[in-house]
Amino acid sequence: MSRVPGWLGRIGAGLTQMGERLDERRVAAERQHAEEPPQAPPEEPVSDGLQEPAEVRIVRPDPAQAVPWGVRVAAEAGWRLLVLAGTVWVLMRVISSVQLVVFAFVISLLVTALLQPTVARLKRHGVPRGPATALTAILGFIVMGLIGWFVTWQVMENIDTLSDQVQSGIDDLRRWLLQSPFHVTDKQINQIAKSLREAIGANTDQITSAGLEGVQVVVEALTGILLVFFSTLFLLYDGDRIWQWALKLVPAAARPGVAGAGPRAWRTLTAYVRGTVLVALIDAIFIGLGIYFLNVPMAVPLAVFIFLFSFIPLVGAVASGVLAVVVALVTQGVFTAGMTLVVILAVQQIEGHILQPFILGRAVRVHPLAVVLSVTAGGMVAGIGGAVVAVPLVAVTNTVAGYLRAYSEEQALRSAGRVRPAPPAVRQEPVAADAEGPAHQG
């Protein structure tokens, strides 16, 4: 019992010390509160007598950070693709509204690429630029006009003989079908002929309206020919100034790359046009000789058609070959038509595997898939004209894109201080005199 008071004394002393420390902390807190500016007391919610739970504040992340990275990249690329698609759509609408002018200028570029080397050769022989340009342009268009006149003259001269041969060929074809192992009856042939006559009679109004619209087509064709002639004349004579003016429309930062890509694009276009003309000429000569020795009528006009249709890759060769085979079938019979088909296939195989790789070279080589897609898309968008200009457009675009990519890589290495030797696509090479384009005349 003697130990209890001492124990209680020690507890009391501890409690006294704890109370003193609490008093010191309270005084320090009051002093700190007195130094802070007064704040308005928070508004207390009106209570209906029931105690409400304390508000729980949920911290939400930034919405942009909550979106997955792949979705953000797809969205960024998506709206840019939409802007590009809208721009292309507007551009196509503008081009379709002035389609005649656009096609005339594109054809003038192709004709200029074909005729410009002749102007360069005349200038090297001392002929002034003006007379050399005028002489080349006039002679070039005279040759094209003579080709068109010759085809028309041959067709008009042989139309009567051809109609008689076609009628005789149809009779021979009918007899062959009756005697063939296909078991075709005379009643079926008459039914087919009747269906054709009914189809022609039902579409008489459309045929008549197409004939009436022919006047407008002729007027547009003459307008386009005049535009092509004058555009070609000015591109041959003043192409350098036109190119320099076009460069001023390009932003200054991109101007050096565009200035280097232009001459290479022109060389590609020139090589394509000259190579295509040479390949088409070889096709027309050899196929024309083959059908001439097979006694197919109008061999020369058919050869000219083959030459013209060769400017439409893939489709043109098929169309001209079918035309020649049909003429041989209805005029000379099945055997001659088969031999004509053999000649056409043989010449086209030689063209595809030997002539085009050797004449066109790697500079304008386009993958067959790209050729098929570009010709199809060009034909769907702008008809025959679009199919003609689709492949050279793809070839030029491929050259420009390759050069700009190499040029940007070279500039990036230069800015990083690591200069490497310029690749052949970037190295500034002297342009040959016969390959100069509108950007390198004078």
Side-chain angles (χ1 to χ4, degrees), residues 241-250:
R241 293 181 182 179
I242 296 174
W243 172 246
Q244 296 301 326
W245 175 81
L247 280 179
K248 293 179 181 179
L249 302 178
V250 181

Side-chain angles (χ1 to χ4, degrees), residues 60 84 296 301 359-360 403 438:
R60 298 181 182 275
L84 289 176
V296 177
I359 296 174
L360 295 179
Y403 172 78

Side-chain angles (χ1 to χ4, degrees), residues 80-133:
R80 287 175 170 83
L81 289 176
L82 288 177
V83 171
L84 289 176
T87 304
V88 172
W89 183 82
V90 172
L91 183 61
M92 294 303 296
R93 296 286 294 179
V94 172
I95 291 176
S96 63
S97 62
V98 289
Q99 187 173 4
L100 179 62
V101 178
V102 173
F103 272 127
F105 183 73
V106 172
I107 293 174
S108 66
L109 281 176
L110 298 177
V111 176
T112 303
L114 179 63
L115 299 180
Q116 199 278 328
T118 305
V119 177
R121 290 189 182 92
L122 291 177
K123 288 168 59 179
R124 285 201 305 268
H125 287 83
V127 181
R129 183 175 60 177
T133 300

Side-chain angles (χ1 to χ4, degrees), residues 234-402:
F234 284 108
L235 286 174
L236 288 173
Y237 180 76
D238 212 10
D240 181 63
R241 293 181 182 179
I242 296 174
W243 172 246
Q244 296 301 326
W245 175 81
L247 280 179
K248 293 179 181 179
L249 302 178
V250 181
R255 195 171 298 166
V258 175
R264 289 161 178 81
W266 181 255
R267 284 201 294 269
T268 299
L269 183 62
T270 303
Y272 175 83
V273 173
R274 296 172 66 182
T276 303
V277 169
L278 186 56
V279 171
L281 185 62
I282 294 174
D283 284 352
I285 290 175
F286 283 97
I287 295 177
L289 289 175
I291 61 179
Y292 174 78
F293 287 113
L294 289 173
N295 293 323
V296 177
M298 292 197 307
V300 177
L302 287 175
V304 175
F305 277 117
I306 291 171
F307 172 78
L308 296 177
F309 276 67
S310 297
F311 286 92
I312 306 177
L314 301 180
V315 180
V318 174
S320 60
V322 169
L323 179 61
V325 171
V326 168
V327 173
L329 177 64
V330 298
T331 57
Q332 299 296 326
V334 179
F335 177 77
T336 304
M339 295 302 298
T340 303
L341 181 61
V342 170
V343 170
I344 292 173
L345 291 178
V347 174
Q348 290 181 353
Q349 288 298 315
I350 295 174
E351 169 207 334
H353 293 88
I354 299 176
L355 295 180
Q356 285 191 355
F358 178 74
I359 296 174
L360 295 179
R362 300 185 61 87
V364 293
R365 185 173 297 176
V366 181
H367 196 275
L369 179 61
V371 173
V372 173
L373 295 179
S374 59
V375 170
T376 305
M380 294 174 62
V381 172
I384 297 177
V388 171
V389 303
V391 176
L393 180 62
V394 170
V396 169
T397 303
N398 184 36
T399 300
V400 171

Side-chain angles (χ1 to χ4, degrees), residues 153-218:
W153 173 65
Q154 284 289 310
V155 172
M156 296 302 295
E157 284 289 324
N158 295 276
I159 190 66
D160 296 332
T161 305
L162 181 63
S163 61
D164 296 336
Q165 291 179 341
V166 166
Q167 184 62 40
S168 177
I170 291 175
D171 295 336
D172 294 340
L173 181 62
R174 181 172 182 168
R175 287 192 296 270
W176 181 81
L177 288 174
L178 291 174
Q179 298 173 2
S180 66
F182 300 110
H183 304 290
V184 180
T185 63
D186 193 23
K187 182 178 179 180
Q188 292 175 338
I189 295 176
N190 292 332
Q191 184 64 34
I192 294 174
K194 181 180 178 181
S195 300
L196 290 175
R197 286 195 298 269
E198 291 178 353
I200 294 174
N203 296 321
T204 303
D205 296 336
Q206 297 180 1
I207 295 173
T208 304
S209 62
L212 294 176
E213 292 177 357
V215 178
Q216 181 181 357
V217 173
V218 171

